[in-house]
Amino acid sequence: MEHPAYQSYENTAKQSIASYIELLRIDENYIFTIELAESNSFKKLFQLLTEEILYRYWEENVNDDKVVCHFDDVHYSYNEIASRYANSPTLKRDFIKYISTSQETLRNIEVEKYNLDLKNGWAMLAEDLYGYTLWSDKEEDERIYPGDDSFIHDFNNKVESKYKYVVGVPPMPFSGNLLDAKVVILTLNPGYVEKVNKTQCMAMIPAQKEQLLSLMRNALTFQGEGIYDGYECSRVQGDYYWQKAFEQLAMEAYGSPSSEIYHPIYHDIAFFQLIGYHSEKFRYSAGIKHLPSTIFTNLLAKYLATKTDKTFLILRSESLWKETFGEEVWNKLEEEGRLITKGHKGMSQKITRGNLKKDNGFDKLVNILKPNKHE
């Protein structure tokens, strides 16, 4: 910027980036390239372009030597967006602020199972989950979603150790039978306890390690059968956390204890994390909402909410999950009775009648999970 020959370069680059964004949005009547360029920094515009691409882009292998690249059409109606702010005294400012995000893309995009699979960057990590590596402190063994690494490393360099994301263990953004489960539990991120996730897992024999990695690979590629499988090591890896949390629910819904091997509750309930990386404690950062893995989380949440009839149990951070779904989808879920919330801010994830008092949430879960007598 100090050199006269380049003083206008940033503005030129911003207008180019803004024009690419407008090209993806496909409004045949209006474009707002100049307004986007003038109202945003280059960094923010570049981030927005990245998000707009990530929502749309997927690849399809059609034979051994050919890959077809797709961009999903997501049409904007700037007139319709502006009408939402018709009564606002700051209409133009609110309008520009909104279209400077990718929220409208998420609102309008159609999410289908076939391209959801192909947009799933976690599946790329699943291909690396071999070789018995359940814990590592080596950089080459980091398990990070494609494109997340800069944020994760910057975040870890700024926070106390208890908040750092532990990326030397396999991530668990979702676990169990996510696409077929009756109930999906929404929480923040998988915890990390060194004596469990490191010490106990490293002490397992190779066959147990491979069994655990197989369970994790299947979950990351939407082929999971349950939170736990028939091997004890799957419960050891989580310190029996959900076995304990489900004790009351398992007995009331199924009439058998959650300690039972192949208990149906582990097939009928799955977990979905806001962010898939382990940490001792969770600390939110605004940058999380711009991660490539979060873009996929948003798509997956929309698919589960709009293309299935699942019930969602929210145990941690209702406000963040409401933002993830978007107000329109959230209201739809509430109207359909598909949201169960605790009604309080306690951190306990025990699935008990005492912890799920709001609107008789526990009894609602029991009725959803109780096997059909005619099955």
Side-chain angles (χ1 to χ4, degrees):
M1 292 297 289
E2 294 175 358
H3 194 288
Y6 297 100
Q7 285 180 355
S8 65
Y9 182 76
E10 183 176 4
N11 289 332
T12 302
K14 285 169 62 177
Q15 296 225 13
S16 295
I17 296 294
S19 69
Y20 299 149
I21 292 168
E22 289 293 284
L23 185 66
L24 289 168
R25 289 176 169 181
I26 320 174
D27 186 315
E28 296 178 355
N29 299 308
Y30 300 99
I31 59 171
F32 286 89
T33 299
I34 295 174
E35 290 81 357
L36 282 172
E38 290 179 348
S39 303
N40 294 282
S41 66
F42 178 85
K43 182 178 180 181
K44 186 173 180 182
L45 278 174
F46 190 82
Q47 178 64 59
L48 179 58
L49 175 63
T50 301
E51 293 176 21
E52 297 285 7
I53 292 172
L54 287 170
Y55 273 119
R56 295 166 172 81
Y57 183 74
W58 51 285
E59 296 178 357
E60 185 177 23
N61 291 309
V62 293
N63 54 45
D64 291 339
D65 60 353
K66 186 177 181 181
V67 173
V68 178
C69 304
H70 298 268
F71 282 88
D72 291 337
D73 284 346
V74 186
H75 294 268
Y76 272 42
S77 171
Y78 285 125
N79 275 336
E80 193 276 328
I81 296 171
S83 70
R84 300 177 217 161
Y85 299 100
N87 298 322
S88 171
T90 55
L91 184 155
K92 184 174 181 180
R93 186 180 67 187
D94 294 342
F95 172 80
I96 296 297
K97 183 178 179 181
Y98 180 75
I99 68 169
S100 296
T101 73
S102 58
Q103 292 177 59
E104 186 72 2
T105 298
L106 177 60
R107 180 175 181 266
N108 291 339
I109 196 168
E110 282 291 321
V111 190
E112 303 292 346
K113 173 64 169 60
Y114 71 94
N115 60 14
L116 184 72
D117 281 334
L118 294 170
K119 290 178 181 179
N120 180 13
W122 293 115
M124 296 175 66
L125 268 72
E127 296 174 3
D128 296 329
L129 295 186
Y130 292 92
Y132 314 140
T133 306
L134 284 172
W135 182 93
S136 175
D137 57 359
K138 298 177 181 178
E139 185 176 343
E140 61 266 28
D141 291 329
E142 290 183 344
R143 313 298 189 191
I144 301 177
Y145 192 98
D148 281 3
D149 49 345
S150 294
F151 170 82
I152 296 297
H153 291 146
D154 289 346
F155 179 86
N156 281 353
N157 288 333
K158 294 175 184 175
V159 299
E160 301 171 55
S161 60
K162 62 184 177 182
Y163 298 116
K164 292 180 187 295
Y165 293 117
V166 183
V167 291
V169 295
M172 297 181 72
F174 27 85
S175 56
N177 179 34
L178 186 66
L179 298 186
D180 293 329
K182 296 177 181 178
V183 175
V184 174
I185 295 180
L186 306 176
T187 185
L188 286 172
N189 75 310
Y192 179 78
V193 179
E194 186 165 301
K195 72 174 183 178
V196 177
N197 298 96
K198 178 184 175 181
T199 308
Q200 291 185 21
C201 285
M202 294 290 281
M204 291 180 180
I205 61 173
Q208 291 173 319
K209 292 179 180 179
E210 177 51 36
Q211 185 62 38
L212 268 184
L213 289 169
S214 176
L215 185 69
M216 294 171 179
R217 286 194 301 269
N218 288 340
L220 292 175
T221 54
F222 301 133
Q223 299 178 61
E225 287 297 319
I227 296 167
Y228 298 144
D229 57 21
Y231 297 87
E232 193 73 9
C233 58
S234 66
R235 301 182 187 226
V236 171
Q237 188 272 338
D239 200 25
Y240 298 88
Y241 186 92
W242 293 110
Q243 177 178 310
K244 299 169 188 173
F246 288 160
E247 284 177 349
Q248 185 177 350
L249 183 61
M251 287 302 300
E252 296 209 24
Y254 302 92
S256 56
S258 58
S259 57
E260 185 180 273
I261 299 298
Y262 290 121
H263 195 293
I265 198 169
Y266 301 118
H267 176 274
D268 291 344
I269 295 181
F271 294 93
F272 188 8
Q273 310 281 0
L274 189 71
I275 186 166
Y277 306 106
H278 297 257
S279 64
E280 291 179 34
K281 292 186 176 294
F282 180 81
R283 170 173 286 181
Y284 185 72
S285 166
I288 288 174
K289 69 175 66 176
H290 301 297
L291 289 175
S293 62
T294 302
I295 301 301
F296 182 71
T297 292
N298 295 342
L299 288 168
L300 181 54
K302 182 168 184 178
Y303 174 81
L304 295 174
T306 61
K307 299 297 174 71
T308 78
D309 60 356
K310 299 182 190 309
T311 298
F312 298 92
L313 170 60
I314 303 179
L315 295 178
R316 296 270 174 91
S317 196
E318 182 177 331
S319 62
L320 290 176
W321 277 107
K322 185 175 182 178
E323 183 179 348
T324 298
F325 282 109
E327 187 171 358
E328 192 174 355
V329 173
W330 182 270
N331 291 341
K332 178 179 180 289
L333 291 172
E334 283 191 321
E335 289 171 7
E336 294 173 353
R338 293 168 56 199
L339 287 178
I340 298 175
T341 59
K342 294 192 297 185
H344 60 86
K345 294 183 178 180
M347 293 297 283
S348 171
Q349 297 193 119
K350 283 267 187 184
I351 316 297
T352 62
R353 186 169 281 104
N355 201 32
L356 298 175
K357 294 178 181 178
K358 184 180 177 183
D359 300 326
N360 297 314
F362 183 84
D363 292 322
K364 186 175 179 179
L365 278 177
V366 171
N367 289 331
I368 291 169
L369 296 171
K370 192 172 288 187
N372 190 318
K373 293 180 181 179
H374 301 291
E375 289 181 353

